[in-house]
Amino acid sequence: MTVEITRMTDADAAGEIIADRFSRDAITRWLVPPERDRLPIQRRFFTMHTAHALDHGDIYGVHESGELAGVAVWFTAPFPELPGQDEAIASFAGEHAERYAVLGGLMDKLHPQDPHHYLAFIALRDGRTGRGLGSLLLEEHHRRLDAEGMPAYLEASSEASRRLYLRHGYVDMPELLRLPDGPVMYPMWRAPISRGSVPADGHAQENGRDTLG
């Protein structure tokens, strides 16, 4: 089975994969409590942001035997706010829009101001996990960041994903993101790694093959 990573220009395809993968996670359940509403709302939300990334970042797709298996969405910070974001979310999220505003405000408060690249979303299709595809997506962009001496930032959405990011050179930021009466997110930072250097876990970064998603 051949594996290939490419740059993507199809925001709809990327947004659909991310929404499908995240529609069952704790953050989405907090954002949109009614199960029936989660997937349609999140598809609109993620597609809106992946389209924004086409102008202010990079979208990678990982393909197995020609089929799109997962995506990673990066922004180059600082990047402009998405025009009309609040109005758009209100139009498709309805009564749940206030929760999106709460999450967005907390994320903005903790987001570092130093220049960096921001991993906004990474997701694999159901049935594609456990093969190292998420690691390949990460490493594709990490090589560029390391060559440019550029750090990276993300918010891990679970303790399990946090542990995986730790293995890819990320470290915890000082403050957790705590949603009111909801789950916790883990802001993390990755300093650029010189070739052959060894992160805290003792494994050279370029040899990592951890599974994400």
Side-chain angles (χ1 to χ4, degrees):
M1 184 174 292
T2 60
V3 176
E4 181 184 16
I5 295 179
T6 64
R7 297 286 184 90
M8 291 184 62
T9 59
D10 188 341
D12 290 336
E16 181 175 350
I17 287 177
I18 298 165
D20 288 350
R21 187 63 185 168
F22 287 172
S23 63
R24 300 177 297 277
D25 75 358
I27 305 301
T28 297
R29 293 199 303 271
W30 183 87
L31 285 169
V32 186
E35 183 176 1
R36 68 181 182 280
D37 297 335
R38 291 174 192 155
L39 189 54
I41 290 175
Q42 287 289 66
R43 280 180 174 166
R44 295 282 298 275
F45 177 81
F46 288 121
T47 299
M48 178 177 69
H49 282 278
T50 52
H52 195 46
L54 291 176
D55 294 326
H56 303 287
D58 299 280
I59 304 177
Y60 298 91
V62 59
H63 304 260
E64 279 191 313
S65 299
E67 294 182 354
L68 183 62
V71 299
V73 178
W74 290 86
F75 284 91
T76 302
F79 53 91
E81 184 175 325
L82 200 158
Q85 174 178 266
D86 294 343
E87 293 80 6
I89 293 175
S91 71
F92 61 72
E95 63 182 311
H96 311 300
E98 184 176 348
R99 292 193 172 219
Y100 282 88
V102 170
L103 174 59
L106 291 171
M107 293 173 73
D108 289 345
K109 177 182 175 183
L110 297 177
H111 203 116
Q113 298 302 309
D114 296 336
H116 62 277
H117 285 201
Y118 172 48
L119 179 60
F121 316 114
I122 184 169
L124 301 176
R125 291 190 187 277
D126 286 344
R128 304 285 185 152
T129 60
R131 306 180 190 182
L133 299 178
S135 289
L136 292 176
L137 282 169
L138 281 176
E139 291 163 2
E140 180 74 16
H141 200 67
H142 285 172
R143 282 190 290 270
R144 172 183 165 187
L145 297 182
D146 292 342
E148 297 177 1
M150 181 66 67
Y153 174 74
L154 57 81
E155 300 102 352
S157 59
S158 69
E159 176 61 36
S161 62
R162 171 186 167 271
R163 290 193 296 269
L164 291 169
Y165 289 124
L166 287 170
R167 296 172 193 165
H168 283 269
Y170 289 83
V171 297
D172 292 319
M173 297 289 282
E175 187 175 351
L176 297 177
L177 192 159
R178 299 181 183 276
L179 289 167
D181 299 318
V184 171
M185 298 180 74
Y186 304 87
M188 305 184 75
W189 183 262
R190 179 186 183 273
I193 297 173
S194 300
R195 186 171 182 83
S197 66
V198 180
D201 66 358
H203 300 286
Q205 179 69 18
E206 60 266 28
N207 294 330
R209 281 295 183 272
D210 299 303
T211 303
L212 297 176

